[in-house]
Amino acid sequence: MPAYLTNGHGRNSDFYGRKNILAQIDETFLAQSTGLPRKDGLRSFVICGMGGLGKTEIAIEYTFSRTEKFDAIFWVNADTTRKLSLGFAQISRRLGLENGWDLTRDGIASREIVKVWLQKPIIAANQATPKTDKKASWLIIFDNVDDPDIMYDFWPLTGVGSIIVTSRNPLSMDSVYAPTIGINLASFDLDEAAPFLQTLSQREFQSNSLESCRRIVELLGGLPHVVTQMGGIIRRRHLSLEDFLFYYANDAKRLHEMHVPGQNPTYIQTVSSVWMLNALSREATALLQVLSFLDPDRISEGFYLAAPYMSIFPFPITQKQEVPTLTLAQNLFKHL
């Protein structure tokens, strides 16, 4: 001890705002009297919201700004069972609970070994730490838990510890397995986002820059990831804020598709890749909106082909449009 596993993430020097959320996480995990982790059971904090709102960035900032509070911090990618298993195997080796990297070992064994340690996290003796019965304080971040059901086998059953969950799925707030506090993340408001863009774009000294930044962030909906990407484009392309407004009005799609190199090596998504729905046709978007009300595992193929299906849209859909829309829907379900 200490044992930290951040899965390649580094602290973002451009992180801005969200202090109220970091304070809420502190209130959940840390005792007010000591400022150290609570010792009264498992506690979890869920950060929900659409892509681009900065869920992962908040978790990263909390991880690095509170490092001295915890004996052990582990970051686990949780969007698939395979990644969860790999993450638990890495934790097991980082703690010295298993030796080497045996590709033939059953991932279930590593998972259960780690869960046992989380329930009774005795600090192991080594050259830096003498033998002790003291229990370690630990924090786990489960990042991208978009299917809460896959967490069941990986969630600690008992013990004392802290867990952060990030998810685009609002049901995650009710699906985790410990007393839960959380937040549905909102966009920046204009008063918060405008100075952020002004600093990112390095246009503080441009005439009327704050007012121009307010106009830009209003167009961008105050989404942190989008503001960050556009701020990087303004800075790297040496654009004035008025130039950017002109280009955005004429070709926003091209700006959304631009990747800003060097900005955050652990997050390579462009605005367009986060907003993939923008690329769908009007018919496909309408279909997806209707299907979002249904159970994706129980939609009959007849639904797509029945005549009444046509009447639910606010515009006519021809038979020629029907087949590609169905194909698109099937592909969407494979990747959702």
Side-chain angles (χ1 to χ4, degrees):
M1 293 294 169
Y4 302 125
L5 189 65
T6 59
N7 207 17
H9 289 289
R11 191 170 187 178
N12 181 2
S13 59
D14 291 326
F15 182 84
Y16 179 86
R18 306 300 199 187
K19 291 182 180 179
N20 60 322
I21 299 175
L22 297 175
Q24 286 182 54
I25 301 174
D26 276 342
E27 290 175 9
T28 303
F29 293 159
L30 307 181
Q32 188 174 2
S33 58
T34 64
L36 297 175
R38 297 176 183 269
K39 299 180 179 180
D40 55 352
L42 286 175
R43 290 175 172 264
S44 59
F45 192 96
V46 181
I47 307 172
C48 283
M50 63 179 284
L53 285 175
K55 302 179 295 297
T56 296
E57 290 301 320
I58 292 171
I60 290 172
E61 177 62 20
Y62 191 84
T63 296
F64 283 93
S65 61
R66 277 44 172 195
T67 299
E68 77 285 354
K69 303 288 187 183
F70 297 92
D71 297 313
I73 300 178
F74 307 115
W75 190 284
V76 180
N77 291 329
D79 43 341
T80 67
T81 303
R82 181 177 179 276
K83 289 182 180 180
L84 281 163
S85 295
L86 177 61
F88 271 61
Q90 291 172 331
I91 292 172
S92 179
R93 286 157 182 78
R94 180 65 185 84
L95 289 171
L97 305 176
E98 295 180 271
N99 296 319
W101 191 269
D102 184 0
L103 295 178
T104 63
R105 175 179 283 274
D106 187 352
I108 296 175
S110 295
R111 182 189 74 201
E112 295 305 314
I113 288 172
V114 171
K115 287 172 66 178
V116 168
W117 184 87
L118 294 174
Q119 293 174 42
K120 191 176 181 182
I122 299 298
I123 297 177
N126 55 37
Q127 291 182 344
T129 306
K131 186 175 181 180
T132 177
D133 291 329
K134 179 184 175 183
K135 291 185 178 180
S137 58
W138 55 262
L139 167 67
I140 289 185
I141 301 92
F142 290 119
D143 191 31
N144 291 326
V145 182
D146 294 330
D147 180 4
D149 290 342
I150 69 173
M151 294 301 304
Y152 182 80
D153 289 330
F154 295 89
W155 198 270
L157 299 177
T158 60
V160 176
S162 306
I163 303 171
I164 293 176
V165 173
T166 74
S167 176
R168 290 177 294 182
N169 187 344
L171 296 179
S172 296
M173 200 83 74
D174 302 316
S175 301
V176 293
Y177 307 99
T180 302
I181 297 175
I183 185 169
N184 286 304
L185 204 59
S187 303
F188 281 147
D189 60 42
L190 296 184
D191 291 335
E192 191 174 27
F196 178 43
L197 177 61
Q198 190 182 43
T199 301
L200 279 178
S201 60
Q202 299 178 357
R203 296 296 181 269
E204 297 96 326
F205 304 109
Q206 181 179 317
S207 177
N208 297 319
S209 65
L210 189 59
E211 181 57 34
S212 295
C213 285
R214 285 181 66 89
R215 291 163 59 196
I216 291 171
V217 297
E218 189 170 11
L219 285 172
L220 303 177
L223 292 172
H225 174 61
V226 184
V227 173
T228 300
Q229 290 284 306
M230 297 303 107
I233 289 171
I234 292 169
R235 184 176 71 247
R236 287 179 172 270
R237 300 278 173 161
H238 305 287
L239 299 174
S240 70
L241 298 172
E242 294 302 321
D243 285 341
F244 176 84
L245 282 165
F246 173 80
Y247 289 129
Y248 195 86
N250 286 276
D251 198 356
K253 183 174 183 292
R254 180 168 176 266
L255 292 171
H256 288 171
E257 292 172 347
M258 284 185 180
H259 174 64
V260 184
Q263 213 162 6
N264 185 350
T266 64
Y267 191 85
I268 61 174
Q269 303 281 7
T270 65
V271 174
S272 284
S273 62
V274 173
W275 288 352
M276 285 300 289
L277 290 179
N278 287 352
L280 298 180
S281 68
R282 186 174 62 147
E283 294 82 6
T285 301
L287 174 62
L288 189 58
Q289 288 171 341
V290 172
L291 296 179
S292 68
F293 288 94
L294 307 178
D295 181 346
D297 295 324
R298 295 178 177 272
I299 301 175
S300 169
E301 185 174 341
F303 173 84
Y304 301 99
L305 305 174
Y309 155 73
M310 301 297 182
S311 65
I312 62 179
F313 296 99
F315 47 82
I317 296 181
T318 67
Q319 289 297 119
K320 289 184 179 179
Q321 291 171 319
E322 184 177 345
V323 174
T325 303
L326 172 57
T327 303
L328 173 62
Q330 291 170 333
N331 288 335
L332 280 169
F333 284 135
K334 290 178 182 177
H335 295 92
L336 284 178

